[in-house]
Amino acid sequence: MTATDPALTALAQSWCALSLLHGRIEAHLERALQTGHDLSVREYSLLDVLSRQHNGPGGHLQMKQVADAVVLSQSATTRLVTRLEDRGLLSRYLCDTDRRGIYTDVTDAGLALLAEARPTNDTALREALDEAAKNPELAPLVRAVEALRIPAPAEASA
């Protein structure tokens, strides 16, 4: 294979289109969440992920799991948690069974802000996808995203 191989060129163009779609969606979400709720996309994502925890076995996430879920490094996730904790949206506490473990929960204020921001996020996502669908290069990717149905954790274990 050479650098000008048509298969590689097509693959690179597809990757660029996917990156473009992601960037456009994230920028649209960022503007909507910042304007309406003083939240970044990452902050919203973190609140959303942590709000899905429960008190049952395996119900709380370790920081590495949280970092993976919000697509950040562990250090960036820790800084984000600290910022949201300083705003009163999260709280941290020691794990009952492993004193080395620290869990993070969404406070009542965080849950209220998340509930307020969720419709904004959903509307902005729909708007961004609808706009991207007008672009012939992005339309197939939009259709692929819309066709995905990832089961909720409860559905996956059923």
Side-chain angles (χ1 to χ4, degrees):
M1 289 191 156
T2 65
T4 58
D5 185 314
L8 289 178
T9 302
L11 185 61
Q13 288 174 337
S14 297
W15 169 245
C16 286
L18 181 59
S19 181
L20 177 63
L21 177 62
H22 176 270
R24 286 185 179 183
I25 291 170
E26 189 166 52
H28 193 75
L29 291 172
E30 187 76 30
R31 282 189 303 274
L33 289 168
Q34 279 291 346
T35 300
H37 309 282
D38 194 28
L39 279 175
S40 70
V41 170
R42 296 287 186 225
E43 290 168 338
Y44 175 87
S45 296
L46 181 65
L47 289 172
D48 185 53
V49 165
L50 291 175
S51 75
R52 298 173 193 276
Q53 297 181 121
H54 58 82
N55 289 327
H60 278 83
L61 301 172
Q62 297 172 349
M63 196 56 69
K64 181 181 181 344
Q65 294 169 303
V66 174
D68 290 345
V70 296
V71 194
L72 289 173
S73 68
Q74 279 188 261
S75 61
T77 302
T78 299
R79 288 190 301 273
L80 184 58
V81 166
T82 299
R83 275 200 320 270
L84 292 180
E85 186 179 31
D86 290 347
R87 288 177 60 185
L89 303 175
L90 297 178
S91 63
R92 287 189 251 199
Y93 62 94
L94 291 175
C95 172
D96 291 339
T97 58
D98 180 359
R99 299 308 259 179
R100 296 170 297 170
I102 297 175
Y103 288 142
T104 305
D105 278 338
V106 182
T107 63
D108 289 342
L111 290 171
L113 181 57
L114 180 63
E116 181 185 301
R118 186 167 275 128
T120 302
N121 183 77
D122 294 348
T123 298
L125 177 58
R126 180 74 267 157
E127 290 169 355
L129 288 169
D130 288 348
E131 186 61 31
K134 296 174 186 176
N135 180 326
E137 291 178 6
L138 300 180
L141 293 171
V142 171
R143 288 192 297 274
V145 167
E146 292 172 335
L148 289 175
R149 184 172 184 291
I150 300 171
E155 294 177 36
S157 63

